[in-house]
Amino acid sequence: AQSVTQLDSHVSVSEGTPVLLRCNYSSSYSPSLFWYVQHPNKGLQLLLKYTSAATLVKGINGFEAEFKKSETSFHLTKPSAHMSDAAEYFCVVSEYGNKLVFGAGTILRVKS
Amino acid sequence: EAGVAQSPRYKIIEKRQSVAFWCNPISGHATLYWYQQILGQGPKLLIQFQNNGVVDDSQLPKDRFSAERLKGVDSTLKIQPAKLEDSAVYLCASSLVGEARYLNTEAFFGQGTRLTVV
């Protein structure tokens, strides 16, 4: 059965500095992986997805993630944080049958 | 395109009362999900439909929760009777995938229904 571990429940960065949100997964098959963002009182929005094509995936708003099978990781990065990036981020794994399993989430705080 | 529509946005009920949530997925999306998101936790899958059939309801507390998807389009989720621990945001999502062998297109989420049980 698939599972997701987000290694940090909270991350705090200064505006203009890099962002790193860490995610490890467990899957019996070749998974698809997603990052979603949730702003307060808003719905979940897809940032990017990996579906067995290029291992470096680019998403919206300057975010990207790299799939590393040997490390079972799918960390989310952004070179320079913006105040508007403050939100909760979820790493999601999906296997055959399209069942989506969410991690516990990482709250990103951006300081001015 | 129109997104996933959910109603109501907010609901406050007393314990032991019943409540129902409604979801209208994106037109043409075969897969529909209901998730429960308790404060401070990631969303947990309650039930997954493909067209009007149930794919996975292993985490649905069937003694009090029920869900249906009539004609493979709209869906309702019901809780009867509600407990205090049911306080959460209930998220509906849909995805295009029509057959299980086609992997993993992304899911689109509604804004959710925030349920408070007092």
Side-chain angles (χ1 to χ4, degrees):
Chain A
Q2 69 260 48
S3 66
V4 176
T5 302
Q6 293 186 240
L7 298 165
D8 307 290
S9 60
H10 292 79
V11 170
S12 182
V13 301
S14 297
E15 191 174 23
T17 64
V19 175
L20 170 64
L21 305 184
R22 299 182 294 165
C23 172
N24 286 109
Y25 70 91
S26 171
S27 173
S28 303
Y29 303 96
S30 295
S32 287
L33 293 155
F34 308 86
W35 276 98
Y36 281 83
V37 61
Q38 188 174 39
H39 287 92
N41 299 314
K42 298 285 183 66
L44 285 156
Q45 179 186 18
L46 180 70
L47 272 181
L48 49 81
K49 63 179 179 179
Y50 165 77
T51 55
S52 76
T55 57
L56 182 62
V57 181
K58 294 188 184 298
I60 61 172
N61 300 334
F63 284 94
E64 63 181 36
E66 186 172 8
F67 174 71
K68 293 187 176 180
K69 186 174 181 178
S70 60
E71 299 176 9
T72 61
S73 69
F74 190 58
H75 301 334
L76 182 70
T77 61
K78 183 174 180 178
S80 177
H82 191 272
M83 295 297 290
S84 60
D85 295 328
E88 188 162 19
Y89 292 78
F90 293 96
C91 183
V92 181
V93 64
S94 178
E95 285 187 341
Y96 186 89
N98 230 38
K99 177 179 178 180
L100 304 177
V101 176
F102 280 74
T106 299
I107 294 173
L108 175 65
R109 179 185 170 217
V110 182
K111 300 174 289 184
S112 59
Chain B
E1 65 182 5
V4 176
Q6 289 188 247
S7 67
R9 287 292 312 278
Y10 305 91
K11 190 75 176 179
I12 301 174
I13 61 172
E14 295 182 350
K15 59 184 178 183
R16 292 187 289 274
Q17 286 187 322
S18 62
V19 64
F21 312 126
W22 174 81
C23 173
N24 184 21
I26 293 172
S27 178
H29 279 195
T31 303
L32 185 147
Y33 311 82
W34 283 102
Y35 281 85
Q36 180 192 57
Q37 186 177 17
I38 293 172
L39 187 65
Q41 300 180 17
K44 181 185 83 171
L45 179 68
L46 292 176
I47 188 166
Q48 178 181 347
F49 293 95
Q50 188 136 303
N51 297 308
N52 59 349
V54 176
V55 173
D56 186 339
D57 64 355
S58 57
Q59 297 193 85
L60 186 73
K62 297 180 185 63
D63 57 333
R64 298 185 301 105
F65 285 65
S66 64
E68 61 181 5
R69 190 183 184 194
L70 299 176
K71 301 181 181 178
V73 182
D74 292 7
S75 178
T76 56
L77 176 70
K78 297 178 181 177
I79 308 174
Q80 182 179 9
K83 293 185 175 181
L84 295 176
E85 60 260 35
D86 298 331
S87 295
V89 176
Y90 291 84
L91 297 166
C92 179
S94 69
S95 69
L96 187 59
V97 174
E99 298 184 35
R101 69 171 184 267
Y102 295 114
L103 281 178
N104 305 323
T105 58
E106 66 266 30
F108 295 84
F109 284 81
Q111 291 202 293
T113 297
R114 182 177 299 277
L115 173 67
T116 303
V117 182
V118 298

